[in-house]
Amino acid sequence: MSAETLPTSDATPAALPQGWALVVDDHPLFCDALELTLKSVANFDEIETADCLEDAIARIKQRTPPALILLDLNLPDVSGLDGLMRMKRLAASSPIIIVSSMTDNAIINGAIAAGASGFVPKHSHRTVFKEAIAHIAKGEVFKPAGFVEGDGGGAQEQTVMRLSSLTNQQARILELICEGKLNKQIAYDLSIAETTVKAHVTAIMRKLGVQSRTQAVLVAQDSKFANVLPNPD
């Protein structure tokens, strides 16, 4: 998607707290288009771009949390809602607008359950982004036209909410469990006691409502929305 597909607007910019904004998308043309869009609809001090989640996380760690984050769900190093949940744990005070070509109700419901402040389809005009920012500035959650509240979410929404309740340390331990690592290996990797790992694993299983590590891995995999993600080009 190029900048030309986003019409210009001379309307008054939407109000958000002053600060910098971060665009996270691995498509250069769309990244440029989003940057131009933000410049036209809001007054940010600076707009940075990142082409993967790790780059975005590194940028956030180097400075104060951004006033707004625009995040694609399908990045080279993460897919589904994993990236959103990691960003929310890192920058809990920053509103995040998901900008995605995947507009299934299940995905929108899941994104909102995971803490997104808004969801804007990638084909949207600048006026939609302006409207989304205006909603967020008023403390509201922006949902796209045609979205059916609560449709298609169900059990997957509950899964996302449970995963979102994990602390940063618990989320990291769950990632290592998904990689097949044992408690002793996790303790070594994180430089913590094995008894501490065991306590975290118990807390993780309680929050996820499961009885085993294998079930915890399956719950984590549910957040990727593997069944509706597009095939990579």
Side-chain angles (χ1 to χ4, degrees):
M1 178 171 165
S2 65
E4 286 75 21
T5 62
L6 298 173
T8 59
S9 172
D10 55 4
T12 303
L16 266 183
Q18 290 297 304
W20 66 290
L22 177 63
V23 176
V24 189
D25 193 289
D26 67 325
H27 293 87
L29 288 178
F30 191 75
C31 220
D32 290 345
L34 279 179
E35 185 176 359
L36 290 173
T37 296
L38 287 183
K39 287 179 179 178
S40 72
V41 302
N43 293 320
F44 292 106
D45 298 333
E46 182 183 359
I47 300 173
E48 290 197 17
T49 62
D51 61 4
C52 66
L53 187 72
E54 291 305 322
D55 185 19
I57 288 174
R59 290 172 185 271
I60 293 174
K61 287 181 176 179
Q62 291 172 358
R63 53 195 305 184
T64 58
L68 180 68
I69 299 172
L70 298 189
L71 176 68
D72 188 10
L73 288 179
N74 203 7
L75 297 168
D77 53 348
V78 70
S79 62
L81 296 179
D82 289 354
L84 170 58
M85 288 187 283
R86 288 178 62 185
M87 293 290 274
K88 286 302 296 182
R89 283 191 285 264
L90 178 65
S93 62
S94 301
I96 299 177
I97 296 178
I98 296 300
V99 184
S100 177
S101 58
M102 300 180 293
T103 57
D104 303 68
N105 275 308
I107 293 179
I108 299 174
N109 272 302
I112 293 171
S117 296
F119 195 107
V120 177
K122 272 196 173 182
H123 60 266
S124 302
H125 289 175
R126 284 183 178 175
T127 52
V128 179
F129 285 90
K130 181 178 182 299
E131 185 181 356
I133 292 174
H135 273 73
I136 293 170
K138 293 187 292 185
E140 301 171 352
V141 174
F142 180 80
K143 301 156 189 175
F147 169 68
V148 180
E149 194 77 39
D151 181 46
Q156 203 156 43
E157 275 187 64
Q158 294 299 317
T159 295
V160 169
M161 292 177 69
R162 289 171 180 169
L163 286 166
S164 298
S165 71
L166 300 180
T167 66
N168 287 332
Q169 187 77 309
Q170 289 168 352
R172 179 59 183 143
I173 288 172
L174 180 56
E175 288 177 5
L176 294 174
I177 291 173
C178 290
E179 293 175 10
K181 295 194 174 183
L182 303 175
N183 287 352
K184 183 180 295 186
Q185 295 170 304
I186 294 172
Y188 177 81
D189 288 349
L190 301 182
S191 300
I192 58 179
E194 188 174 350
T195 53
T196 302
V197 175
K198 290 179 180 178
H200 278 307
V201 171
T202 298
I204 289 168
M205 290 193 294
R206 183 179 67 251
K207 287 184 176 181
L208 299 185
V210 299
Q211 303 298 319
S212 69
R213 296 164 72 99
T214 300
Q215 290 175 334
V217 170
L218 293 175
V219 170
Q221 291 174 342
D222 281 347
S223 73
K224 299 182 187 300
F225 287 108
N227 59 321
V228 291
L229 286 173
N231 294 322
D233 295 330

